[in-house]
Every structure is written in structure tokens, then in C-alpha cells.
């Protein structure tokens, strides 16, 4: 399996031709709050959609590069990339091509948000919710319009230790 | 100059940051991520473009640059107080200005594009040139040449470098508290940065200048 590669001449890190950049929880959650302060609820949809498209495009290329064809192997690879990148630990055992439930046992965004701002009144891990929607779409080869998500529980919103997101395939 | 940028980049890029058993990357007193440039760009540019459509381009820029200030304060500040800094960069430091050359070398291992100090007038002005900025390459892939500069994170970052060094004093390893942030970035002495050239506007590279306003 391929990992991120660093090109010192360009000062660029890539994984499956997608650029990766190091950032910390202070920036990640501050930028998120900035976006939401500016556009309110619309910013939530923008962030989830951005995460979904980013994951879908990168994973589609990665699955081709690594000749990964099995649905479960594809989802497991997406989960491994998520954890390796520092976003938390995801249980993807309830993913099927017809629908899925994501459970995060740790969430970078939830931990970062609570550390910086305290518990939120709303869900905060829009990145994870969108990323795994993109992973489901890429792993099953679905039309993005068929997949919707619902955040059932979010650790950043003081709703317990877990973040749970349900994906419906229409 | 005593700073060996190539050695620093090799050392930092070779640290192999990777999520632990919890899927987290604790480093420099922070939680790091190897994030996706496309995510930042799509989110930030969507908000910027929405606000520009309402004539709020200056407000959009100020909001996104402020996130860059917070990044600089915590990330650059955290790095310059870290054990990794002490091990890799500190032995090369001979002058106060080497702190800035050292942190720019570290930044060049972060995937943000190639930063180069064009001019440093201590306590007065810092000019940084960036090749291959992730913000601009993302903009130019997805949008036409822009009327506005687009390196929001970098703009906040360049101002932050000067505030950490010459408004505060990161060399004394201060606590990076909210009160210290306000002192460095909101006082009358704070440095502010402007992007004088930007690839997203069609320039050959990005150039940012931080000075007191």
C-alpha cells in the first residue's frame, strides 16, 4: 500500500495525487468556527460536501492505483487513512453498499473543539461525516446524489464519547 | 547563516507523523493532522466567494486571515517551544533572526509549498516568497484567475511569525495563552501582513509582507 510522499523541491506532500498539509487542532477548529460564523448553517453543508468530494476523488484514484476492488477492503483502507492522518479512530464494521453506520471512538475535531471552545450545542465533526460519505460513494461506486447522511450523535456536542453518523443509500 | 534548511526539512519530514492507537497525532503540544488541501480550499473559497458576492470581500479576507493568525500563534509557537525544536533546530541557532529562518525551514516540511525569506529587517519588516502555495494551486485548478489574493493562511502565518518574535518573545518560551494571543495580535504594536503578489491573481509566485500598520 502506498503512503504519502514528500517532494522536498516543491515542499509538497501527496497521496494519490491529492495534496496533504499539516495543520493542528487550533487552526482546524478555529477555521471551522470562522466559516460557521460567516455563513451559519450553510457552512455546515459546505464543509461536509468539501470533505465528501475530497475523499471521493482521492479514494477513487487510490483504489485504482492499489487495484482494490473489494468493498470491505476499500472501506477499511479509507478508515486507515483517516486514522493515520490523525482524525481519530473509526469503526466501519457497519458499512455496506446499501447503507452504513459510522462510529468514531475518538474524533480530532471533537477533542479539539472541546479543548478550545468547550462542548458545542451542535455537532462539530463535519469533516468525518463528509469524509466517510465520500468513502462509501467511492467504495461502492455510487452516484453521490444517492447517499445522504444524518449525524445521530456527536462527541463534540457533549453527547457522550462517541460520534455516530448514519448514511442512507436511496 | 547557521541554519541548514535542508537538514531541518529532512529531519522534520522524516519524523513520520502518523496516528497513534486512538488515531491522533500528539506533537509539539498540539494535535496534528495530515489534512487535505482540497478540504481547506473548497471550504474557505466557498465562504470567501459567497461573501464577495455580497460585497464583503474585505470581511471574508479578515476572517480567514485571522484563522491563519491563530495557526501561527499555536502551531509555530508550539513548535518553537518543543523538544523536537530543541533537538533539530536549536543547535543551529546563533542569532535571534535564526529563529525565523529555522521555523521557515520547518514550515517547508509541512506541505504548504516552498517558503523563502526574501527580506528580514528585524523588528520592522518580513518579506516571504512562496512557490507552489497550496492555497493558490487549489484556486487555479478550480477557478479562473482571481481579482483578489487567496493565500489567507499564509498571510496570517507571516504576520504571526513577526508577532511571535518581535511583539512577544517566543525565545523565552512563554505560555501560549489566550491573553498572550490578544497581546501579540490585537495591540497597537501588532504586525499585519499583506499579499503583494499572488499566483491566484496571475503573478509568478506569491509574496507577502508583514509590517506594523
Amino acid at each position: 500500500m502506498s503512503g504519502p510522499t514528500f517532494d522536498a523541491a516543491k515542499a509538497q506532500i501527496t497521496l494519490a495525487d491529492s495534496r496533504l498539509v499539516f495543520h493542528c487542532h487550533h487552526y482546524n477548529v478555529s477555521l471551522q468556527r470562522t466559516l460557521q460564523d460567516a455563513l451559519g448553517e450553510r457552512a455546515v453543508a459546505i464543509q461536509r460536501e468539501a470533505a465528501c468530494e475530497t475523499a471521493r476523488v482521492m479514494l477513487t484514484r487510490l483504489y485504482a492505483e492499489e487495484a482494490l476492488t473489494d468493498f470491505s477492503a476499500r472501506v477499511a483502507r479509507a478508515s486507515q487513512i483517516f486514522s493515520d492522518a490523525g482524525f481519530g479512530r473509526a469503526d466501519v464494521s457497519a458499512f455496506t453498499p446499501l447503507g452504513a453506520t459510522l462510529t468514531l471512538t475518538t474524533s480530532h475535531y471533537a477533542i479539539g473543539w472541546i479543548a478550545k471552545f468547550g462542548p458545542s450545542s451542535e455537532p462539530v465533526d463535519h469533516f468525518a461525516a463528509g469524509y466517510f460519505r465520500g468513502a462509501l460513494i467511492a467504495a461502492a461506486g455510487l452516484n453521490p446524489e444517492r447517499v445522504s447522511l444524518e449525524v445521530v450523535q456527536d462527541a463534540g456536542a457533549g453527547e457522550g464519547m462517541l460520534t455516530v453518523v448514519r448514511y442512507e443509500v436511496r | 547563516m547557521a541554519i541548514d534548511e535542508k537538514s531541518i526539512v529532512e529531519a522534520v519530514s522524516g519524523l513520520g507523523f502518523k496516528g497513534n492507537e486512538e488515531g491522533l497525532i500528539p506533537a509539539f503540544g498540539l494535535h496534528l493532522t495530515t489534512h487535505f488541501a482540497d478540504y481547506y480550499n473548497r471550504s474557505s473559497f466557498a465562504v470567501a466567494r459567497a461573501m464577495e458576492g455580497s460585497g464583503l470581500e474585505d470581511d471574508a479576507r479578515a476572517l480567514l486571515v485571522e484563522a491563519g493568525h491563530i495557526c501561527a500563534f499555536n502551531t509555530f509557537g508550539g513548535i518553537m517551544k518543543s523538544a523536537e525544536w530543541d533537538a533539530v533546530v536549536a543547535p543551529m541557532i546563533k542569532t535571534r533572526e535564526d529563529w525565523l529562518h529555522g521555523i521557515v525551514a520547518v514550515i517547508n516540511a509541512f506541505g504548504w509549498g516552498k517558503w523563502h525569506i526574501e527580506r528580514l529587517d528585524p523588528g520592522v519588516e518580513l518579506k516571504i516568497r512562496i512557490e507552489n502555495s497550496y492555497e493558490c494551486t487549489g484556486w487555479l485548478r478550480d477557478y479562473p484567475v482571481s481579482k483578489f489574493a487567496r493565500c489567507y493562511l499564509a498571510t496570517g502565518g507571516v504576520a504571526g511569525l513577526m508577532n511571535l518574535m518581535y511583539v512577544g518573545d517566543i525565545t523565552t518560551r512563554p505560555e501560549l495563552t489566550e491573553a498572550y494571543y490578544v497581546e501579540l495580535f490585537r495591540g497597537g504594536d501588532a504586525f499585519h501582513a499583506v499579499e503583494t503578489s499572488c499566483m491566484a491573481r496571475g503573478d509568478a509566485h506569491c509574496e507577502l509582507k508583514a509590517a506594523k500598520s
Side-chain angles (χ1 to χ4, degrees), chain A residues 35-137:
Chain A
L35 303 177
Q36 291 170 201
D37 285 348
L39 290 190
E41 192 61 26
R42 194 172 151 204
V44 172
I46 286 171
Q47 289 169 92
R48 289 177 181 170
E49 192 55 41
C52 176
E53 266 306 284
T54 296
R56 185 186 68 79
V57 170
M58 181 274 295
L59 289 168
T60 299
R61 283 196 293 254
L62 190 79
Y63 295 155
E65 281 178 15
E66 297 183 351
L68 271 180
T69 55
D70 176 72
F71 174 81
S72 296
R74 286 179 165 190
V75 173
R77 184 75 172 106
S79 177
Q80 179 194 27
I81 290 166
F82 182 86
S83 295
D84 285 351
F87 295 118
R89 181 66 64 188
D91 177 352
V92 291
S93 58
F95 269 59
T96 79
L98 299 175
T101 299
L102 167 73
T103 303
L104 295 183
T105 52
T106 47
S107 158
H108 166 84
Y109 274 89
I111 290 169
W113 190 283
I114 289 171
K116 200 156 181 67
F117 306 127
S120 167
S121 59
E122 302 290 336
V124 300
D125 202 342
H126 309 309
F127 175 76
Y131 175 92
F132 280 100
R133 177 170 174 259
L136 175 58
I137 290 165

